[in-house]
Amino acid sequence: MGQTYTLTFPVEEADIRKLALGDMVYLDGEIVMTAGLPTHQRIMKCLEGGTELPTDLTNAGFFHLGSYNTEENGAFDVLYLNPTTSTRFNPYMPTLIRAFGLRAVGGKGGLDSACAQAMKEVGCVYLSFLGGGCTVLSEAIREVVSVSWNDMISHYRIVKLRVEQLGPLTVAIDAHGNSLYDTLQAKAEQAMPGILDDLRAARAASASTDKP
């Protein structure tokens, strides 16, 4: 069983490096969220063109979170948030992690080994959010700090939130290249031959008892 920590952003690299797989984390402070492939593609174009982003992502917590939002009288309100699948962003995340020195990324579903390598280099962790936990997660929202790229649909924008005790989140990829997703995949692959043998044996036994 891992330990439980509260991380307050901005957070130091040393605080990220000490986290281990399976640790539980709650977040305080300012985080950045978006849920869109077009958003990641636009960020990449900004990097390639040397264009400054409207929201500073340096050493940020950058999370793949969808949201339901309202806009009234110029006010943007995030009513609830919920994790979206991070694996969709595998092609972009190694570059973003390195370019901005991200300290934490997350969502659901994990990221691939190339992302884990980038995280190891800069001191970043992947935090797995509770799928379907929007009620618990949304209670942590304290303030919408900023909203960028308003030409996009609301949950594709870059939104900076101030949160308090956002979680619980699980350290699923640590800052040393270790990944729960890789570990579980390896265990599943090791177990598969035995499972298939058992199924074949059960099928053969069933077939023999069915004979007249």
Side-chain angles (χ1 to χ4, degrees), residues 39-54 100 149:
T39 318
H40 288 67
Q41 291 162 353
R42 185 181 287 190
I43 294 172
M44 293 289 286
K45 287 181 179 179
C46 288
L47 288 174
E48 293 164 1
T51 304
E52 186 176 350
L53 291 178
F100 300 110
W149 290 344

Side-chain angles (χ1 to χ4, degrees), residues 165-178:
Q165 291 294 285
L166 176 63
L169 315 175
T170 304
V171 178
I173 304 175
D174 67 18
H176 306 284
N178 304 305

Side-chain angles (χ1 to χ4, degrees), residues 31 33-36 62-68 78 80-89 105-110 126-138 155 166-170 181:
I31 65 166
M33 70 174 190
T34 188
F62 181 78
F63 299 107
H64 300 136
L65 295 169
S67 57
Y68 179 74
V78 178
Y80 73 76
L81 52 84
N82 210 40
T84 191
T85 303
S86 297
T87 51
R88 296 182 293 134
F89 310 113
V105 295
K108 64 180 181 180
Y126 181 91
L127 301 177
S128 177
F129 282 68
L130 176 65
C134 65
T135 301
V136 173
L137 299 174
S138 301
H155 64 286
L166 176 63
L169 315 175
T170 304
Y181 303 100

Side-chain angles (χ1 to χ4, degrees), residues 9-10 27-35 39-40 43 53-67 78 81 93 96 100 102-107 129 143-149 155-163 166:
F9 283 89
L27 303 182
D28 287 350
E30 294 184 358
I31 65 166
V32 177
M33 70 174 190
T34 188
T39 318
H40 288 67
I43 294 172
L53 291 178
T55 300
D56 185 11
L57 298 182
T58 305
N59 300 148
F62 181 78
F63 299 107
H64 300 136
L65 295 169
S67 57
V78 178
L81 52 84
M93 291 309 296
L96 301 189
F100 300 110
L102 298 178
R103 290 290 171 241
V105 295
F129 282 68
E143 179 186 4
V144 177
V145 177
S146 65
V147 183
S148 303
W149 290 344
H155 64 286
Y156 281 11
R157 299 174 191 176
I158 299 178
V159 179
K160 180 178 285 188
L161 294 176
R162 185 172 64 83
V163 297
L166 176 63

Side-chain angles (χ1 to χ4, degrees), residues 196-209:
L196 292 175
D197 287 343
D198 290 342
L199 289 173
R200 292 188 190 100
R203 187 181 297 115
S206 176
S208 64
T209 57

